[in-house]
Amino acid sequence: MLPFYALAPDPATLQVLKTLLFALSAIAFYRISRDILQEPPPLALVFCYLFFPYLVTQNLNAPHEISFAPFFLLWTYYFFRKKKFAPFLIFLILTVSIKEHLSAIAAAFGLYAWFHKRSLRWILWPLLLGVLWAAFSAWVLDYFQRMYPSHDAVWVAHNLQLRFFSQPGSFVSQALSFLSTSNLGAWSRLKCAFLLITPLALFLPFLSGIVFLGLPELILNLVMDRPVIFSPIWHYNVVVSCFFLIASVDGIRRVAGGRWSSKFGLTRPQAQKLLAELVLILVLMHSYTWLELTQYRRDPHYVRAAREALSTLPVNASVTVPQRVAVPASSRVRYTLLESGPLEDYVITDSADISDWSCI
């Protein structure tokens, strides 16, 4: 992203690039679907991908790193499917470089290749890449965590450590405590995870082994203790969504080949088109989970006031701001959010009520 960001160093650049890459990833999804169905896929499938709640919201969400993943992830799988090793490995390297936990996806590709009895290079290279990237990421995170101890860039590792390894008692009691505090331990949280599969007719992804590639991130999200992880407006299930959608295409292929289609006088392409349109209806019915994000509007008076407030501070001073002021504050050498702290040299707030300052 650096060459593009150097041309226009602004958060809007990341937003435009993110949306552009997501739009282009639909091409990869189309080609994957065509390869699975052995014919041009129904256009409804592409719209299922573009309007899937956990993916379409990334156009409106902040530019988290994982929001850039679908383009690289889908082309990685496409070349894996077409057995083109060199472009597969290149795109896999690009994919894991986005985020440290994507090392698990690389390892999953290796295991998936072993299951499909691919040659050793298809098995060993992804596994080796996963291990090396995990080790390198851990070193990088630890190095910068020592430089910037106030920024919890390794919150996942800290969360797992506090909820499991730091608990007293036997291994069994630690495991039970860990699960009881996770998203698996509360029905109110777990039912939110159903939003991942209800647009896909509940069962379609699980008719295909492709769903295995989405399991590493899904399992990680299930064992965490933050219920917001399964909210469609966040970015935690981008990778899961990509593989669940691909698996659903394979599920449609399997269902369309059943006896029911011939009983209704439908050819396979007609049955696939009917099922794709059904899934699209389900996806669009779930638009209520993200349409609220489109209600945000630009407030030029607020932006102007925030920028004027920032301009009164010394150029190299650090600042703590509300989340709404994060964009104009991002040009600062150092800033933190008022909602999470800690406090920096200066504090700017848009609230007149000091009781809202939860970090003080």
Side-chain angles (χ1 to χ4, degrees):
M1 301 299 167
L2 288 177
F4 302 100
Y5 195 79
L7 292 174
D10 189 89
T13 303
L14 296 178
Q15 292 285 58
V16 171
L17 285 174
K18 178 183 62 176
T19 296
L20 178 62
L21 282 176
F22 177 59
L24 292 175
S25 68
I27 299 174
F29 184 79
Y30 175 86
R31 299 190 70 169
I32 291 169
S33 301
R34 181 169 186 162
D35 193 63
I36 292 174
L37 300 178
Q38 296 298 306
E39 61 184 33
L43 191 59
L45 280 178
V46 180
F47 282 105
C48 287
Y49 172 77
L50 290 173
F51 285 93
F52 194 71
Y54 292 86
L55 296 177
V56 70
T57 50
Q58 301 314 303
N59 293 293
L60 305 166
N61 201 354
H64 295 279
E65 304 97 316
I66 204 68
S67 303
F68 296 89
F71 176 84
F72 303 98
L73 195 66
L74 291 180
W75 282 112
T76 299
Y77 177 78
Y78 174 76
F79 290 120
F80 176 89
R81 188 173 184 87
K82 302 300 286 186
K83 298 182 179 179
K84 297 182 178 180
F85 184 75
F88 159 73
L89 190 60
I90 290 171
F91 270 92
L92 184 60
I93 292 172
L94 290 171
T95 299
V96 300
S97 70
I98 294 172
K99 195 78 173 174
E100 65 275 2
H101 74 272
L102 291 179
S103 56
I105 299 298
F109 266 109
L111 295 175
Y112 193 64
W114 171 77
F115 178 79
H116 285 278
K117 299 180 180 180
R118 295 277 184 98
S119 61
L120 277 178
R121 66 175 182 172
W122 286 96
I123 301 171
L124 295 181
W125 277 102
L127 288 173
L128 181 62
L129 176 63
V131 172
L132 291 177
W133 181 250
F136 176 73
S137 298
W139 176 79
V140 169
L141 287 170
D142 179 70
Y143 178 81
F144 283 101
Q145 193 74 2
R146 293 174 187 272
M147 295 174 64
Y148 303 102
S150 62
H151 291 264
D152 192 8
V154 290
W155 72 268
V156 173
H158 290 167
N159 186 281
L160 295 175
Q161 180 181 5
L162 289 172
R163 291 174 44 233
F164 189 87
F165 298 104
S166 299
Q167 296 297 317
S170 64
F171 177 83
V172 174
S173 63
Q174 288 177 325
L176 291 175
S177 174
F178 176 74
L179 292 175
S180 65
T181 57
S182 71
N183 289 321
L184 287 169
W187 171 247
S188 59
R189 301 181 191 176
L190 191 59
K191 70 180 182 181
C192 295
F194 279 104
L195 289 175
L196 269 172
I197 55 176
T198 48
L200 302 173
L202 292 175
F203 66 93
L204 282 176
F206 304 104
L207 297 179
S208 172
I210 300 171
V211 76
F212 172 78
L213 296 172
L215 291 183
E217 184 162 292
L218 176 62
I219 292 172
L220 178 63
N221 291 342
L222 286 172
V223 299
M224 297 310 297
D225 63 348
R226 300 189 178 188
V228 297
I229 279 179
F230 285 104
S231 170
I233 68 174
W234 293 102
H235 56 284
Y236 298 100
N237 290 279
V238 169
V239 175
V240 181
S241 299
C242 288
F243 286 119
F244 271 40
L245 281 160
I246 297 172
S248 296
V249 176
D250 195 27
I252 287 175
R253 177 187 65 84
R254 294 172 184 271
V255 174
R259 295 180 179 178
W260 70 273
S261 56
S262 58
K263 288 183 179 180
F264 286 95
L266 298 173
T267 63
R268 178 189 283 268
Q270 289 174 332
Q272 289 176 166
K273 184 174 183 293
L274 181 64
L275 290 169
E277 291 170 349
L278 171 63
V279 174
L280 177 58
I281 292 172
L282 293 173
V283 168
L284 294 179
M285 286 174 63
H286 284 73
S287 297
Y288 75 92
T289 61
W290 61 270
L291 278 178
E292 61 179 297
L293 292 179
T294 63
Q295 298 174 7
Y296 288 107
R297 296 291 183 269
R298 182 176 177 85
D299 186 346
H301 300 292
Y302 184 93
V303 173
R304 190 181 306 114
R307 287 177 174 170
E308 288 178 358
L310 286 165
S311 67
T312 64
L313 307 183
V315 176
N316 294 323
S318 61
V319 61
T320 298
V321 297
Q323 193 168 18
R324 291 181 292 272
V325 189
V327 170
S330 62
S331 60
R332 290 269 160 177
V333 175
R334 181 184 177 92
Y335 79 97
T336 58
L337 297 180
L338 188 61
E339 291 82 1
S340 57
L343 300 182
E344 300 294 342
D345 296 337
Y346 292 84
V347 176
I348 292 179
T349 180
D350 56 2
S351 172
D353 185 0
I354 198 170
S355 65
D356 289 344
W357 295 21
S358 57
C359 59
I360 295 182

